[in-house]
Structures are given as structure tokens and as C-alpha cells.
Amino acid sequence: MMKRSVRRTSPKQNRREFLIKTGGALAAAAIASPPILTGAAETVNIGALYPTTGSMAQIGVGCVAAAKLAAEMINDAGGIKSLGGAKLNLIISDVQSDTTVTRTETDRLISGNKLSAIHGCFASALTLIASEVAERAKVPIITGSSSDQLNKGRIYTFTPFARASQFAKAQLQMSKLVSDKPKVAVIFENTAFGTSTSNGLRELAPAEGVEIVMFEPYSAGFTDASPLVNKIKASGANALFSVSYLNDLILIVRTVKQVGLNVAINGGSGGFVIPDFYKNVGKLAEGLQGVAHWNHDMSDEAQKVNAEYKKRTGEFLFEYAGGLVAQTFMLADALERAASTDPQKVREALSTLDVSKGYAAMAPGGKVKFGPDGKKVKFGPDGKNIYGRPVGVQWQNGDLASVFPKEDARAPLLRT
């Protein structure tokens, strides 16, 4: 089997300390010493921007492990055949969960390497910055980030999964699964992810027949959720939407349970849909609902990749990591059709992507085509998947099951 190299552009750090901080097997899978690529024809350099240190490392480390798995699958299947079997070569950069570092690392990744494309960063606040740099450099970037802002004025940015506004609509519709007259408290972190998603909730609620009785931002990374939870209790809400990443969401759920607040919780996306959430709250998670742009039970291909990822890491393939596998196959499809490593030609091939089978089509509904739907905008397709939609999920027996909408459901909703 042909082997590939993985280079890093992030600062050096103590390997033992990093393994301890990010958790054993998963981190080891993501940062294992790379093999040396020898005797290959032309290689295809793909930039990978993910936070493997800092507050978002739990997700970033898993994404790197998934990126390596996807590249290995493509390379083992013969690489990019239109380029003589060229192998994908991941060049990984740790953006350290920091917006300033994201800007400098993206610039360094592009200026220091001959890249065909980039994928990253998953966190919208980071991806917005990375995509700005990529746009200026005219290098295509494909991402699982959900901020609607990513598709405004950008022609090298591709978002194959659901938008933040679509997540909002799905959450509102799911609230009717637990109450005929939903009264929802919306709390959200004051970042691009939290703000865009929560604004979508507020704007769409009237049309969906949902009353929002509380709409409250908070500073991401807080240490005491009691004041926020007391406001939720006073609001009279029968449902809670928390637009939060992992650590904040864990604290919120624990506090809700501690004060005995009887409210249905839809944790949205972000930290809610990764294995570490269940690890930290245990059976408190059972029956809680959320939304995701990807889930590992959505198709036969997704289940196959999930089985391999779980074998390597001990974890199920969560939303961002699973979506990243699909994105890598989308890039491979574009490279095959472009028959070139030139980023402009790869961008053009991505803009005409139209898949409905295989690993590249691993998305809710099983189709990916960048739109708008056959219509021309000033600079061509806007980078959004015209079929993109979220899937509603629920924690059942320590795993995430797809339960909404009906056509995507793989398990019945558990009533709690």
C-alpha cells in the first residue's frame, strides 16, 4: 500500500502532554507519527485546519482522525485516477481554538504549500476567518460549519450541509413532538454560531406556531449556569433550546437537572452531538433531543465509516467528523473531474458537484449539489447544497439515533 505524509504547520508541543490533555486513543489516532510518502506520482495537497488544542480540542482531534481515515480510504482505493493515481496528502494545521491563530495559520498554510483545497474548521467563528483568507488566496475551502454568513459574498467557500437557519426551523418543528403549545426558552453563546442560530429561531418561531418566552445570550465559557437557569425557570418555558458548544452545554444540563426544572431540552448542534457530552452527563442525556448536519446511522456508507472509526478510536463517528469524511470524498470527486491540482480548476469542479450515491453523498437526503438550484448568481453557484437539511437526533442508550423528520428517521422517538 502506498503511504502518505502528513505535515504540520502548528507550533511544536510536548507530545506526551498533548496526549494526556486530549484523551488517549482518540488523540493518538489523530497525531500518530506520520509515515513517509515515497515513490509516488504527483500528490494532491489538501490543507486541514482544525483546533487540536484549546477549548475546542475535543472536536478538533476527532476531526483530524476522521480526515486521516477518509484520505486513507481514497488512497487505498487507487487515489485520484485522472491524475495517474495521485494520493491525497493532508497538511494539518492546529488553529488552537483561537481566531487570531486561525488567521495566521491559514495564511501560512496557503503561502507555504501548493494546495488544491482546504477543509476546516467546523467552528463557525474560526471558519469565517479561514474562509476570508482562502477567498483572497483563491483556494477553495469546504466546511461543515453552519453559519449562513459563509455563503455571503464568497465564491471559493462550499457548505454541503445544513445552514444555521435550517437548524432553527428543525428545532422549532421538533418542539411540537413534546408539546402542542411549545413555550421555548432560547439561550445562546455570543459567538457567530450561537448568534446566527438563535436569530433564526426567533425569526422563524411565529410561522411555526412556537412562542419564544425567553431569548438570552451568555458569554461562552462561563462557570456558573445558575443565574441563567433561574431565568429559564421564571419564564414558564416548557422547552429549552441551548445553542452552545460542549463545556457550556454540559454545565447547563447539569444545572437544569440539579434544580429539578422539568423542561424538554433540545441541545441543537455543537457540543450536544459528540460522544464527550454523554461521557460527562451520563444518563442525564437519555431522551434529550438535538439537530445535526450528519449522523452515523443515515446510510449504509455512513455506518461502514462509523464502524471503522469506532474501531480505531473507541468512539462513534460524530457529526463534524462524519461530515468531514463526506467532504473529503466530495473533494476527491471534484479532483477526478478537474483532472488537475490547480485550485481554480478544483473550485470550478466543486461548483458543479452533483452526487446522489457513495461516500460523497453522505448527507441527510443523500444528495449534494451546490446551488442555487440551477440559477446563476453574479459569481456562479453560491456554495450551498440545494438539498441540504438537518436531521433531528435523540440520545438513546448512549448513542445518537436519527428521529426526525420522518423520511430520515432510523429509530422511533423516545417519550420522556
Side-chain angles (χ1 to χ4, degrees):
M1 180 184 72
M2 194 70 66
K3 297 184 179 181
R4 57 185 173 80
S5 65
V6 177
R7 290 178 280 152
R8 297 179 178 279
T9 61
S10 55
K12 292 182 179 178
Q13 62 183 37
N14 183 280
R15 182 177 295 270
R16 182 179 299 276
E17 180 183 348
F18 178 69
L19 285 170
I20 292 171
K21 285 182 178 178
T22 53
L26 183 57
I31 64 167
S33 298
I36 304 299
L37 186 66
T38 58
E42 184 178 15
T43 58
V44 183
N45 291 334
I46 304 296
L49 293 163
Y50 292 97
T52 54
T53 57
S55 62
M56 302 175 188
Q58 301 102 322
I59 298 176
V61 168
C63 284
V64 172
K68 289 188 173 186
L69 171 58
E72 184 178 317
M73 290 171 67
I74 291 165
N75 290 344
D76 287 352
I80 308 303
K81 298 176 181 62
S82 67
L83 293 173
K87 307 299 184 183
L88 298 189
N89 181 46
L90 292 179
I91 304 177
I92 301 167
S93 178
D94 175 17
V95 297
Q96 301 177 31
S97 308
D98 183 275
T99 53
T100 301
V101 174
T102 298
R103 187 177 299 279
T104 57
E105 283 298 299
T106 307
D107 183 66
R108 186 163 65 160
L109 185 69
I110 293 171
S111 61
N113 302 279
K114 183 183 177 183
L115 299 179
S116 295
I118 296 171
H119 55 61
C121 305
F122 85 74
S124 294
L126 305 181
T127 310
L128 282 165
I129 292 192
S131 63
E132 287 177 7
V133 178
E135 287 282 333
R136 286 198 302 270
K138 297 184 178 180
V139 175
I141 180 170
I142 188 167
T143 178
S145 297
S146 60
S147 174
D148 292 81
Q149 298 175 54
L150 284 164
N151 302 108
K152 295 178 180 178
R154 290 173 169 84
I155 62 172
Y156 287 84
T157 302
F158 295 87
T159 55
F161 301 110
R163 315 289 356 106
S165 54
Q166 292 176 298
F167 280 109
K169 186 174 182 178
Q171 280 185 273
L172 292 164
Q173 292 173 342
M174 289 181 74
S175 70
K176 296 180 181 179
L177 299 176
V178 294
S179 174
D180 292 333
K181 296 181 178 180
K183 294 184 177 182
V184 176
V186 178
I187 58 176
F188 57 97
E189 59 169 52
N190 56 355
T191 66
F193 163 66
T195 302
S196 60
T197 303
S198 59
N199 283 340
L201 287 166
R202 182 163 59 178
E203 291 167 7
L204 296 173
E208 294 298 329
V210 177
E211 181 183 0
I212 293 182
V213 296
M214 176 180 168
F215 192 80
E216 187 81 12
Y218 70 86
S219 296
F222 64 172
T223 57
D224 183 6
S226 297
L228 198 58
V229 172
N230 287 334
K231 287 184 179 181
I232 297 167
K233 192 172 185 179
S235 73
N238 58 22
L240 169 63
F241 294 170
S242 180
V243 187
S244 314
Y245 280 116
L246 179 64
N247 294 332
D248 294 343
L249 188 59
I250 290 169
L251 186 58
I252 291 164
V253 169
R254 284 177 174 169
T255 306
V256 165
K257 300 297 183 179
Q258 285 169 3
V259 303
L261 178 58
N262 184 23
V263 61
I265 299 176
N266 190 310
S269 184
F272 179 82
V273 295
I274 69 173
D276 272 4
F277 176 73
Y278 197 94
K279 284 181 181 178
N280 280 274
V281 303
K283 292 193 177 295
L284 294 179
E286 289 295 328
L288 299 189
Q289 300 174 35
V291 289
H293 70 240
W294 195 95
N295 199 36
H296 57 273
D297 64 358
M298 66 171 50
S299 68
D300 290 343
E301 288 85 1
Q303 290 181 27
K304 288 176 184 176
V305 179
N306 178 56
E308 179 60 27
Y309 183 89
K310 194 170 185 178
K311 183 169 66 176
R312 296 179 179 208
T313 68
E315 312 270 1
F316 68 73
L317 188 60
F318 61 91
E319 175 190 33
Y320 296 113
L324 177 52
V325 174
Q327 290 166 46
T328 307
F329 276 88
M330 293 174 206
L331 284 175
D333 181 281
L335 286 160
E336 285 287 3
R337 289 181 293 108
S340 172
T341 60
D342 177 69
Q344 180 62 46
K345 293 182 179 179
V346 175
R347 183 261 167 209
E348 291 169 0
L350 273 173
S351 72
T352 57
L353 182 79
D354 187 355
V355 291
S356 57
K357 62 181 180 180
Y359 294 105
M362 289 192 301
K367 295 181 181 181
V368 180
K369 179 181 179 181
F370 294 115
D373 191 6
K375 300 173 183 177
K376 294 292 183 182
V377 294
K378 184 175 181 181
F379 299 109
D382 62 6
K384 290 187 290 188
N385 177 14
I386 65 172
Y387 301 112
R389 66 179 189 234
V391 59
V393 296
Q394 185 180 47
W395 281 102
Q396 298 183 3
N397 301 314
D399 199 4
L400 276 179
S402 298
V403 296
F404 180 86
K406 185 177 180 180
E407 57 267 32
D408 291 328
R410 300 293 181 264
L413 182 76
L414 293 181
R415 303 288 178 176
T416 57

